[in-house]
Amino acid sequence: MPLKSSPGLTGRRRARRGIAAAAALAFAAATALGAGPAAADVTAAARVDNPYAGASVYVNPDWSAKARADGGSAIANQPTFIWMDRIAAINGVNGTRGLRSHLDNALSQAAGRTMVVQFVIYNLPGRDCAALASNGELGPDDLPRYKTEYIDPIAAIMRESKYANLRIVTIIEIDSLPNLVTNVGGRPTATAACDRMLQNGNYVNGVGYALAKLGAIGNVYNYIDAAHHGWIGWDDNFGASATLFAQAARASGSTVDNVTGFIANTANYGVLKEDHFTINDTVNGTSVRQSKWVDWNRYVDELSFAQAFRTQLISAGFPSNIGMLIDTSRNGWGGSQRPTAKGPTTSVDAYVDGGRYDRRIHLGNWCNQSGAGIGERPKASPASGIDAYVWAKPPGESDGASREIPNDEGKGFDRMCDPTYTGNPRNGNNLSGALANAPLSGHWFSAQFRQLIANAYPRL
Ligand code: BGC
């Protein structure tokens, strides 16, 4: 039975920053508008503006044990996201714990403190339409199964009253909506699979359904995936992405008020902040935008992109208090190859290539990048408009296998994970830059983990 909205909150489902605890209790009923949960599920605290502010964040014991056992004790106590990457993950697969077990464990870890628990919602029909390494278990037309066998059971667990004091953060469906902007409709980067997901509407409707269902739970905070600067930082993609995200946030009965914010750089390697050049620099009268590396993009790093994209999202109709997350798990780019000064001004390419921290061969490379390092440690409210730096991709988990490996996880072989591959239009036909001998996506990749630790920046 839906609850009525409180007139005091003018239809917004999140309380303002700094709301007093007693007032938060009084506003509890207002956290469940629209198709809200049953009365028994009413939460004890109203949504806050930034769930990370003043909260501890849950450490996944499964990841932590792997990290510690592989030389990573310096980071093993960091919070990482838990990926609900298939239906079976809800109950736990291959000896790792499931959703309910993590939430129970979070209650004991919290020991009375306010605690954030972080999940990636990642199982759309026809998942990852422009790549093969993380194609999922659901076919392109399996939206009904996505709803009833995946989102509904997750929502049923998250809304249990014993979890009402946890702040449950969800990332909604990475690598989905941006693909419908950049990899469709006769562009050189288009794929038949992405064209199909645009036409059948199942990404947009699936995201809308997830937002509506999870957003109806008063202590769930939804962050939609917003790709990264090397994907939607070009003018042609930037505004169009924000418009599409707003459309998805209003699909399947959802509203934009189900959205707490967005996340940039999930599982990618984009630098947080390049210090040795900015987008406004010129070399002998030539803009850095004309360098091969920047290639007319409007941004050179994730922080400037996330802040600007937040403004764009607000003008596309999202609430003015949305916040951004940035995945900093693998964008440190430290080690001996890290430039310590600006590049030479002999040419715009020499200037950009000599100064950039990001050592990738091409900005479009995404799989198990050679030379990468752990980035900023997870942190609340690190910069204006940013709710937190988080570790969405757990360091040590592969992006994809470097050769064909038979499996029952729906994972394909994407040659972007093969170091001998010479590329496609999405990475400007360059070498993939991937590490060799990688296991399937999501599986532990020790050699990568050790390189990430060695190249951490800030240093460990
Ligand atoms: C994989 C998932 C995995 C996640 C986190 C994705 O690329 O497809 O199976 O859980 O990465 O490592």
Side-chain angles (χ1 to χ4, degrees), residues 83 85-86 122 127 133-134 393-394 397-399 409 411 441-442:
W83 290 58
D85 67 342
R86 66 199 94 162
Y122 187 50
R127 191 174 77 185
S134 285
K393 178 75 183 183
E397 293 185 8
S398 173
D399 294 315
E409 301 175 28
K411 310 250 168 87
S441 65

Side-chain angles (χ1 to χ4, degrees), residues 245-325:
F245 295 175
Q247 187 195 329
R250 294 186 175 110
S252 306
S254 178
T255 74
V256 293
D257 289 331
N258 288 315
V259 179
T260 300
F262 292 80
I263 178 161
N265 202 43
T266 302
N268 207 268
Y269 296 86
V271 162
L272 185 64
K273 188 173 184 306
E274 292 285 7
D275 292 324
H276 301 316
F277 69 108
T278 78
I279 198 69
N280 299 316
D281 291 358
T282 57
V283 175
N284 308 323
T286 306
S287 164
V288 298
R289 294 187 65 218
Q290 296 185 53
S291 64
K292 285 202 185 73
W293 174 254
V294 179
D295 192 22
W296 296 105
N297 200 309
R298 192 64 73 177
Y299 302 92
V300 301
D301 51 31
E302 291 302 314
L303 184 56
S304 64
F305 162 75
Q307 289 173 325
F309 195 53
R310 177 177 176 275
T311 303
Q312 181 75 28
L313 289 159
I314 293 167
S315 51
F318 285 97
S320 60
N321 66 341
I322 53 170
M324 306 299 285
L325 306 177

Side-chain angles (χ1 to χ4, degrees), residues 15 29 48 70 92 106 121 130 139 165 252 266 279 281-282 315 330 346 404-405 407 421:
V48 293
D70 205 3
I121 301 299
N165 285 321
S252 306
T266 302
I279 198 69
D281 291 358
T282 57
S315 51
R330 308 185 301 181
T346 41
E404 185 96 52
I405 299 178
N407 67 89
Y421 182 50

Side-chain angles (χ1 to χ4, degrees), residues 34 41 87 97 120 145 152 160 182 198 239 258 353 424 449:
D41 302 323
I87 291 164
R97 62 198 84 209
V120 179
R145 289 191 63 198
D152 291 355
E160 285 179 23
T182 64
L198 179 64
N258 288 315
D353 290 341
N424 59 46
F449 184 70

Side-chain angles (χ1 to χ4, degrees), residues 21-174:
L25 280 172
F27 280 150
T31 62
L33 298 185
D41 302 323
V42 165
T43 57
R47 274 201 192 88
V48 293
D49 181 56
N50 176 1
Y52 290 89
S56 306
V57 190
Y58 173 67
V59 177
N60 175 359
D62 296 333
W63 174 81
S64 187
K66 286 186 207 156
R68 202 178 300 279
D70 205 3
S73 52
I75 58 165
N77 280 333
Q78 293 293 345
T80 50
F81 273 73
I82 297 145
W83 290 58
M84 295 283 114
D85 67 342
R86 66 199 94 162
I87 291 164
I90 301 171
N91 290 321
V93 273
N94 303 330
T96 61
R97 62 198 84 209
L99 175 57
R100 186 178 270 111
S101 166
H102 278 297
L103 292 171
D104 288 341
N105 205 36
L107 287 177
S108 45
Q109 245 181 50
R113 295 171 302 171
T114 302
M115 177 153 282
V116 169
V117 197
Q118 312 176 108
F119 297 97
V120 179
I121 301 299
Y122 187 50
N123 200 30
L124 274 179
R127 191 174 77 185
D128 210 3
C129 62
L132 301 170
S134 285
N135 289 163
E137 63 189 346
L138 299 181
D141 297 319
D142 278 341
L143 186 62
R145 289 191 63 198
Y146 178 74
K147 293 179 177 178
T148 59
E149 295 177 42
Y150 181 70
I151 295 295
D152 291 355
I154 288 175
I157 294 170
M158 288 183 174
R159 80 159 69 92
E160 285 179 23
S161 56
K162 63 175 167 166
Y163 304 131
N165 285 321
L166 296 171
R167 296 179 180 173
I168 302 175
V169 164
T170 59
I171 294 176
I172 304 299
E173 296 295 355
I174 70 159

